[in-house]
Amino acid sequence: GESVGLHLPTLSVQEGDNSIINCAYSNSASDYFIWYKQESGKGPQFIIDIRSNMDKRQGQRVTVLLNKTVKHLSLQIAATQPGDSAVYFCAENSGSSYKLIFGSGTRLLVRP
Amino acid sequence: DSGVTQTPKHLITATGQRVTLRCSPRSGDLSVYWYQQSLDQGLQFLIQYYNGEERAKGNILERFSAQQFPDLHSELNLSSLELGDSALYFCASSVGLGNEQFFGPGTRLTVL
């Protein structure tokens, strides 16, 4: 499939290492945040979400951290695997609107 | 597989033409969202419908329109197509308002 966002920032990690992908959001009124994974030629796939009343949420091998003070969101992937290679997007949603505003994305490359 | 279906998968047409993209949400989901993804602009929210009614609008061009039918499927109509309309168009659905959105596989539109 075609690449999305040919000029995306890229994070390259060794298989088995932990990955941290960061995202800055702009709207202090946003109260819901989501991380999506997009593989080449596919639609965005939901990974994990967090609401603004939380600082941290854990899923299977993934953790999302929210720092509202500096409007920063991060996605941590433990023991990164080749199948984790994809473009990762953060998205924010404010309570007054149900549309998602997506960040520009980060490409994760996992080296074998 | 998210449960959201989109047709067609690929569409090639000429400038000035009109096309219709179709989306069927996941069973039970009442909200449908349309997004445009181009190489230089990332994922952009276009419009949202909830149970047949328009609920939110993004930067959707006047040449574009959408609707959600009583059976909850949605159609995005793009008219007077221009070269710059070439992009991936994604549909997403959610149970209600402000819930996690599940994306379909997308329709790749190429305007020649």
Side-chain angles (χ1 to χ4, degrees):
Chain A
E2 291 183 25
S3 296
V4 172
L6 297 178
H7 304 292
L8 292 173
T10 299
L11 174 65
S12 179
V13 300
Q14 191 73 37
E15 180 179 356
D17 287 352
N18 296 334
S19 301
I20 299 177
I21 300 172
N22 297 303
C23 175
Y25 65 93
S26 57
N27 187 354
S28 56
S30 292
D31 56 8
Y32 180 53
F33 305 87
I34 310 178
W35 279 100
Y36 283 94
K37 171 187 179 183
Q38 187 174 23
E39 296 174 280
S40 184
K42 297 184 178 180
Q45 176 188 355
F46 173 89
I47 302 174
I48 193 168
D49 59 0
I50 188 168
R51 297 203 177 268
S52 59
N53 60 353
M54 301 174 69
D55 296 324
K56 179 179 179 179
R57 190 159 188 232
Q58 287 185 291
Q60 189 175 20
R61 279 201 310 119
V62 294
T63 300
V64 55
L65 297 177
L66 175 62
N67 185 331
K68 295 180 286 292
T69 302
V70 295
K71 292 189 285 188
H72 183 269
L73 195 66
S74 69
L75 176 70
Q76 300 178 2
I77 304 174
T80 313
Q81 302 169 359
D84 295 327
S85 293
V87 176
Y88 289 80
F89 293 95
C90 66
E92 60 183 295
N93 174 293
S94 69
S96 62
S97 168
Y98 303 107
K99 64 182 181 181
L100 287 176
I101 299 172
F102 281 80
S104 55
T106 296
R107 188 181 307 279
L108 176 65
L109 294 176
V110 182
R111 306 187 303 274
Chain B
D1 184 1
S2 66
V4 179
T5 61
Q6 290 186 248
T7 57
K9 190 171 177 62
H10 300 279
L11 197 50
I12 301 175
T13 188
T15 54
Q17 295 298 305
R18 171 190 167 95
V19 297
T20 297
L21 313 183
R22 183 187 170 101
C23 168
S24 292
R26 295 187 318 157
S27 177
D29 284 0
L30 298 179
S31 278
V32 170
Y33 311 77
W34 285 98
Y35 292 86
Q36 179 191 57
Q37 186 175 41
S38 55
L39 281 176
D40 60 349
Q41 297 226 352
L43 272 157
Q44 300 287 322
F45 169 77
L46 295 177
I47 197 163
Q48 179 210 358
Y49 283 83
Y50 175 77
N51 205 20
E53 294 187 4
E54 181 185 307
R55 289 303 298 258
K57 220 167 184 176
N59 297 324
I60 187 168
L61 299 172
E62 286 190 11
R63 300 183 285 110
F64 296 0
S65 65
Q67 56 183 327
Q68 186 180 29
F69 294 88
D71 67 351
L72 302 177
H73 91 271
S74 178
E75 292 182 355
L76 178 67
N77 300 296
L78 313 176
S79 61
S80 302
L81 285 167
E82 302 175 358
L83 296 177
D85 297 327
S86 295
L88 278 164
Y89 290 85
F90 288 104
C91 168
S93 74
S94 65
V95 170
L97 300 169
N99 305 104
E100 63 188 74
Q101 297 178 22
F102 294 88
F103 282 75
T107 293
R108 179 171 296 284
L109 173 67
T110 302
V111 182
L112 300 176

